[in-house]
Amino acid sequence: SERAWLLVGIDWDRKKWSDGKFHRMQGSGSSGNLTVFDVELICRNEGGSPAWIDEKRAVCIFVPVIPPKPMLDNTVVLQSGSEPIGIGQSIPHTTKLPWFVMSEGHGEKGEILLIYGVVKYRDPFGTYQTTFGYRVLTSGPPIRLEGYPEYNWNT
């Protein structure tokens, strides 16, 4: 038998807007400046055993430079509880969580907008976690943080 192996990705919530495109909005108010947009957190089980996702955590922040490791203590719970996820062609072997992302600020010149987090899961053989990290540009899809292994880690 082979254990479960969850891969995590981010994509725009293409169903949110009628044109199916990415919409990044910025606003200001009594609570300060905010940048908001809609994404989907996508989990796929590429392993050989079914699994149960126990927690999805993430954060979206502006940073002057990409830290070598994600600051997982800064993440917030997006979903908790026991969510089953099948294997291979099982239905469902993919889960999608719509997420209305809100980040403080509009980004100063040169700042980078990051989305990163962790998904904790279990299978019959143990408990695991998968980290993920993406850079968000003003247009185009989110870009996985390649070259930053701590943002793309599986236990």
Side-chain angles (χ1 to χ4, degrees):
S1 291
E2 180 186 336
R3 75 177 192 92
W5 197 266
L6 256 59
L7 302 179
V8 181
I10 297 274
D11 198 4
W12 307 134
D13 188 347
R14 298 179 191 284
K15 293 176 255 161
K16 184 69 177 183
W17 298 90
S18 62
D19 63 5
K21 294 181 181 177
F22 170 58
H23 292 262
R24 176 174 161 174
M25 297 159 284
Q26 296 178 324
S28 300
S30 58
S31 12
N33 295 330
L34 293 175
T35 298
V36 297
F37 48 92
D38 295 282
V39 299
E40 288 182 322
L41 181 65
I42 304 163
C43 299
R44 286 191 334 262
N45 184 357
E46 296 293 332
S49 296
W52 295 265
I53 298 171
D54 292 320
E55 188 175 72
K56 298 173 185 173
R57 300 179 65 89
V59 69
C60 180
I61 60 171
F62 286 100
V63 294
V65 296
I66 300 172
K69 291 183 176 185
M71 298 169 282
L72 297 177
D73 291 343
N74 294 344
T75 59
V76 296
V77 175
L78 301 179
Q79 183 177 359
S80 66
S82 186
E83 177 186 9
I85 184 166
I87 58 175
Q89 298 304 311
S90 299
I91 303 298
H93 81 285
T94 301
T95 68
K96 294 182 180 182
L97 174 67
W99 175 29
F100 179 70
V101 177
M102 195 172 345
S103 179
E104 292 181 11
H106 293 161
E108 300 298 322
K109 185 174 182 170
E111 283 191 314
I112 302 162
L113 184 56
L114 295 183
I115 294 178
Y116 63 84
V118 61
V119 174
K120 298 178 181 181
Y121 64 100
R122 59 191 157 83
D123 70 7
F125 306 103
T127 58
Y128 314 97
Q129 66 181 27
T130 298
T131 60
F132 59 93
Y134 286 82
R135 183 175 182 173
V136 179
L137 303 174
T138 54
S139 65
I143 300 170
R144 183 176 289 279
L145 294 177
E146 294 180 14
Y148 293 86
E150 298 290 331
Y151 290 88
N152 300 286
W153 190 256
N154 300 79
T155 61

